[in-house]
Amino acid sequence: MFNSLSDRLTETFKNLRGKGRLSEADIDGTVREIRRALLDADVAVPVVRGFVAQVKERALGAEVSESLNPGQQVVKIVNEELVGILGGETRRLNLAKNPPTVIMLAGLQGAGKTTLAGKLAKHLKAEGHTPMLVACDLQRPNAVKQLQINGERAGVPVYAPHPGVSSEFDTPTGDPVAVARDGVAEAKAKLHDIVIVDTAGRLGVDTEMMAQAANIRAAINPDEVLFVIDAMIGQDAVNTAQAFHEGVDFTGVVLSKLDGDARGGAALSVASVTGKPVMFASTGENLDDFEIFHPDRMASRILDMGDVLTLIEQAEKNWDKGEAERMAKKFADQEDFTLDDFLAQMAQIKKMGSMKKLLGMMPGAQISRQQLEQFDERQIDRVEAIVRSMTPHERVAPKIINGSRRARIAKGSGVSVSEVNQMLERFGEAQKMMKKMAAGGGIPGMPGAGKGAARKAKAKGKGKKQKYGNPAKAAQAELEAKNKKAAAPNGAAFGAGANQDFDPSSLNLPSGFEKYLGKK
């Protein structure tokens, strides 16, 4: 979403690196480039003006001129201001004191409300809630059916007493206000603690739609009204958001289609213009492609600083703890890393979602953007097919895979023999690296590699008697060492002898000082 903006800002900050002092001309040039980058990203003009003015004011102030690294200080200022226009702090749902918590979704047709309803329900269910969906979109063809399918996939019940319309030529007959009111009553009766009400949208902002949304809001008195906006609509996002804010008075924003290739101006404009926080982001087609919106992490992604915290959260949520413990034990016991282990690790990574998305969260991902874009997600499936075409014995002992076996594996997995060769070669390198790391030698080729193994070997040999050398000389050396020790002064600090009755507590010294007085 923010690729173009991120590239522009990253390129702009390159000119500031290494400068011991920034002149006013340097700051003006940087601010000018930031302004252009934001406008090109479809950020609303009023938002750009306020953002640029604030950055320039702070950049010309003492916090930059007195900084040891002014270039990094400017980047820090831009990061903080980005966090500000994205909403400042992460905003969570306000849950009702007396369940159920009622959440109403509003937005234009095509913004992704119905899909988002399923995603939000699955997210809340994973957090231990018992949500229920209510189908109030009775005007869009098959909207009720779509919500029922999403509810089934999320494992959440759907209240849908009216089927809605099945084609654009049908005339809507149901009352969405009554369905919403009855849905909340049904949730109370069946002890659901959260109700998500999916409402109808239109192709444009019109009076009829706003009146219906306002009537639903008045009927159910929701705890949260979430405005779902397509992150790809550009400058029009501001006008749409303001119209919904005046008509429905929403409490939070959800950005849908954040995985698209648009320039992302909506995300940077809506929170600043409406004063309402962005709370969630929809990042794909699957129900799991949904995340809490963190302004600070999004700002870090835009400035190519990565989003390691979200990456860690994804791993903790999807990683099998039992498998992780098994691999950790295997690593500690220095057992061979087999192709079965490799297959298990790939399965764990696939659970976390798209590899492109995961790699994009790493700091400095923009540097390898071209390689990242060229990455083929299907390559993982091809590697998995190759491994699954091997016999159990071949997976444990890949060295036995000769030419005829490679031809059989290639045929079974639908790839060429050269692809099998490349996979086995890469696995061999990974296996060597794992062995090296398990032995305490670090990653091969990195500074300090081998030191751990050397220390281990030294510790292993320590205390063992030498099996070579002149025994007479060894005995003489041992006798001299004993005599030297006997001749050493037998006493402790402050002139107190080792055999004297001396109480260190009489000196009123700090606790633990006894070791310096010859007492243990």
Side-chain angles (χ1 to χ4, degrees):
M1 172 60 74
F2 297 106
N3 288 353
S4 177
L5 176 60
S6 185
D7 288 344
R8 291 281 296 274
L9 292 177
T10 304
E11 191 64 31
T12 299
F13 295 138
K14 279 183 182 178
N15 300 326
L16 301 179
R17 291 177 185 169
K19 289 193 176 184
R21 182 177 178 277
L22 295 182
S23 65
E24 189 170 344
D26 291 330
I27 292 173
D28 284 340
T30 301
V31 169
R32 193 181 308 115
E33 288 301 318
I34 292 173
R35 182 190 295 111
R36 288 174 180 169
L38 292 173
L39 289 173
D40 286 347
D42 276 340
V43 181
V45 175
V47 177
V48 174
R49 285 176 183 159
F51 179 85
V52 168
Q54 189 65 20
V55 169
K56 185 173 182 179
E57 182 183 345
R58 291 182 61 183
L60 291 172
E63 64 178 303
V64 171
S65 61
E66 297 176 4
S67 172
L68 293 175
N69 194 324
Q72 289 184 0
Q73 195 69 20
V74 171
V75 176
K76 179 175 177 287
I77 290 170
V78 173
N79 181 62
E80 290 172 356
E81 294 301 322
L82 268 178
V83 173
I85 68 170
L86 286 169
E89 297 180 354
T90 304
R91 159 88 144 74
R92 304 281 180 166
L93 286 171
N94 289 323
L95 301 177
K97 291 182 180 178
N98 298 315
T101 299
V102 181
I103 302 171
M104 173 181 167
L105 303 182
L108 295 178
Q109 183 174 319
K113 293 188 302 301
T114 305
T115 302
L116 185 104
K119 292 182 177 184
L120 181 58
K122 186 173 183 181
H123 169 76
L124 292 171
K125 185 182 178 183
E127 290 188 342
H129 297 285
T130 55
M132 186 181 82
L133 297 170
V134 178
C136 293
D137 186 354
L138 308 180
Q139 292 160 328
R140 181 170 64 85
N142 296 314
V144 174
K145 184 65 176 176
Q146 182 188 355
L147 188 69
Q148 289 174 328
I149 292 171
N150 286 337
E152 185 179 345
R153 288 167 59 198
V156 171
V158 179
Y159 180 75
H162 196 285
V165 297
S166 57
S167 78
E168 58 185 3
F169 302 107
D170 294 345
T171 303
T173 56
D175 182 2
V177 178
V179 171
R181 189 188 299 113
D182 294 344
V184 174
E186 179 79 1
K188 285 182 181 178
K190 294 192 175 178
L191 302 178
H192 292 280
D193 67 342
I194 291 180
V195 184
I196 301 171
V197 180
D198 180 31
T199 64
R202 293 291 188 280
L203 295 176
V205 177
D206 57 41
T207 309
E208 182 187 351
M209 186 191 83
M210 285 303 176
Q212 185 186 104
N215 290 337
I216 291 175
R217 176 175 179 130
I220 63 176
N221 191 24
D223 300 283
E224 294 278 11
V225 179
L226 301 183
F227 172 50
V228 183
I229 187 168
D230 186 341
M232 302 174 70
I233 67 175
Q235 288 281 350
D236 196 44
V238 175
N239 298 329
T240 306
Q242 286 177 329
F244 271 90
H245 185 34
E246 293 167 4
V248 188
D249 188 25
F250 57 82
T251 59
V253 179
V254 180
L255 290 172
S256 64
K257 307 177 187 177
L258 205 61
D259 57 324
D261 57 359
R263 290 170 285 189
L268 296 171
S269 304
V270 173
S272 181
V273 169
T274 64
K276 303 297 182 181
V278 179
M279 296 175 60
F280 300 102
S282 176
T283 58
E285 294 293 329
N286 297 322
L287 291 186
D288 292 321
D289 295 332
F290 178 83
E291 60 187 51
I292 297 170
F293 189 88
H294 300 278
D296 53 342
R297 301 184 192 180
M298 186 57 69
S300 293
R301 289 191 207 181
I302 293 171
L303 296 179
D304 196 24
M305 297 176 183
D307 187 1
V308 178
L309 285 176
T310 299
L311 198 60
I312 292 170
E313 287 175 1
Q314 289 274 21
E316 287 178 342
K317 184 168 68 175
N318 296 288
W319 207 264
D320 185 345
K321 292 183 180 178
E323 177 64 23
E325 289 173 2
R326 186 187 72 82
M327 282 303 301
K329 185 177 185 304
K330 192 165 189 175
F331 187 78
D333 294 343
Q334 297 186 34
E335 295 180 22
D336 281 342
F337 182 70
T338 67
L339 282 162
D340 278 323
D341 298 326
F342 181 62
L343 203 61
Q345 295 304 299
M346 277 205 308
Q348 297 286 345
I349 292 171
K350 283 176 72 175
K351 283 183 187 177
M352 294 173 63
S354 165
M355 279 297 295
K356 280 186 182 179
K357 191 187 298 182
L358 297 175
L359 293 171
M361 292 180 189
M362 299 298 291
Q366 314 300 340
I367 298 172
S368 55
R369 171 74 55 74
Q370 189 175 358
Q371 293 92 325
L372 196 60
E373 291 299 327
Q374 292 174 352
F375 178 77
D376 185 2
E377 297 275 358
R378 294 172 298 177
Q379 183 63 26
I380 298 175
D381 296 329
R382 283 194 284 269
V383 171
E384 185 176 351
I386 291 171
V387 178
R388 291 194 182 280
S389 296
M390 298 177 185
T391 64
H393 185 46
E394 287 170 343
R395 295 181 197 178
V396 176
K399 290 183 179 179
I400 68 168
I401 303 178
N402 54 21
S404 60
R405 289 176 184 262
R406 289 173 193 236
R408 189 204 78 239
I409 292 167
K411 188 176 181 180
S413 55
V415 300
S416 64
V417 175
S418 61
E419 287 182 88
V420 176
N421 293 338
Q422 289 171 9
M423 194 284 291
L424 289 172
E425 186 178 342
R426 287 196 299 268
F427 174 75
E429 292 171 358
Q431 197 176 39
K432 287 178 185 176
M433 186 183 74
M434 295 290 279
K435 282 183 180 179
K436 186 77 172 176
M437 291 174 68
I443 300 175
M446 295 295 286
K451 290 183 180 178
R455 283 196 298 269
K456 193 172 181 180
K458 187 177 179 181
K460 191 175 180 181
K462 191 175 180 181
K464 289 188 177 181
K465 294 181 181 179
Q466 282 186 317
K467 295 183 180 179
Y468 54 87
N470 191 328
K473 285 186 178 180
Q476 180 66 26
E478 188 177 353
L479 181 62
E480 288 178 0
K482 284 183 180 179
N483 292 337
K484 189 175 181 180
K485 185 177 181 181
N490 187 15
F494 304 102
N499 298 321
Q500 290 179 335
D501 187 14
F502 174 69
D503 183 12
S505 62
S506 62
L507 297 177
N508 196 26
L509 294 172
S511 176
F513 236 83
E514 292 84 355
K515 62 181 179 181
Y516 298 109
L517 305 178
K519 300 287 181 180
K520 295 184 180 178

